[in-house]
Amino acid sequence: MVANLEATIDDLYTLPHEQKAEIVDGEIVLMSPTGAAPSYAASEIFVSLRAYSRRKQKGYAVTDNAAFRVDLPNRKSFSPDAAFYTGKWTGMKFFEGAPVFAVEVRSEGDYGPSAEQAIARKRIDYFAAGTLVVWDVDLLGEDVVKSYSTNDPNNASIYRRGDLATAEAAVPGWSIAVDDLFIE
């Protein structure tokens, strides 16, 4: 009998560069490409975070497809749609540790009961790894940004169109207009 081998960070490094993946429960979980609207929203968040980082001269704004290496019993990496990281610069290697702020923008397949459970499990993992604020961005819903914090991980601050969304515990003084996440 051959034992199942758990995926490692080295396995992530060998994936083709166009593939986005995370290591969850010892397996490489490939993530589907996203559509225009979720990609646009994540890009707008990144651009706003980059401007903040440059203005404050601290932290790193991170785009989609970057990997964050973590050491949880059930998870070895994250690949959020956008993030803010305050740890040590790692050059060509994956970021070490979790971002202080992680953004997950829902794609077409991120709806329904099983998707809700997966999103909630991932949020718990983010907090266990040290992330301070996690956004669940739903471009189809009235509650566009649900902002969860380690201070109250089960209750989200809700931001809708017309609001300025913040991630104060993780990115002090930063905000973005929810309307900026949309083309129209």
Side-chain angles (χ1 to χ4, degrees):
M1 182 179 281
V2 176
N4 289 339
L5 297 177
E6 287 198 9
T8 67
I9 292 297
D10 288 337
D11 294 328
L12 283 184
Y13 279 114
T14 63
L15 289 175
H17 293 295
E18 64 275 1
Q19 287 190 318
K20 179 177 177 176
E22 296 177 339
I23 299 176
V24 182
D25 294 327
E27 297 181 11
I28 291 178
V29 178
L30 296 176
M31 303 170 91
S32 300
T34 190
S39 177
Y40 180 84
S43 296
E44 286 296 303
I45 294 166
F46 163 75
V47 167
S48 180
L49 286 169
R50 185 181 65 183
Y52 171 89
S53 175
R54 288 180 173 176
R55 187 172 62 253
K56 297 290 187 176
Q57 296 184 345
K58 68 176 191 174
Y60 307 99
V62 181
T63 61
D64 189 19
N65 205 26
F68 292 84
R69 184 179 178 156
V70 297
D71 190 19
L72 298 176
N74 64 313
R75 178 182 289 275
K76 300 303 175 198
S77 70
F78 291 106
S79 187
D81 297 313
F84 193 75
Y85 179 74
T86 58
K88 184 180 127 189
W89 182 248
T90 55
M92 300 299 282
K93 298 294 184 183
F94 297 149
F95 290 97
E96 283 291 333
V100 293
F101 174 47
V103 178
E104 296 289 342
V105 182
R106 291 176 184 235
S107 295
E108 279 185 309
D110 293 333
Y111 293 90
S114 63
E116 292 298 327
Q117 290 174 352
I119 291 166
R121 277 193 310 273
K122 189 171 186 179
R123 189 170 54 248
I124 290 167
D125 288 349
Y126 271 122
F127 292 140
T131 301
L132 300 176
V133 175
V134 178
W135 277 10
D136 175 1
V137 178
D138 179 357
L139 301 172
L140 300 179
E142 184 179 325
D143 298 339
V144 179
V145 175
K146 293 178 184 166
S147 179
Y148 294 88
S149 165
T150 56
N151 298 334
D152 192 1
N154 297 315
N155 296 302
S157 295
I158 303 297
Y159 299 101
R160 297 182 172 121
R161 292 191 79 151
D163 292 340
L164 282 178
T166 69
E168 193 62 30
V171 192
W174 173 79
S175 65
I176 187 170
V178 173
D179 290 340
D180 288 352
L181 306 182
F182 299 89
I183 292 283
E184 72 283 343

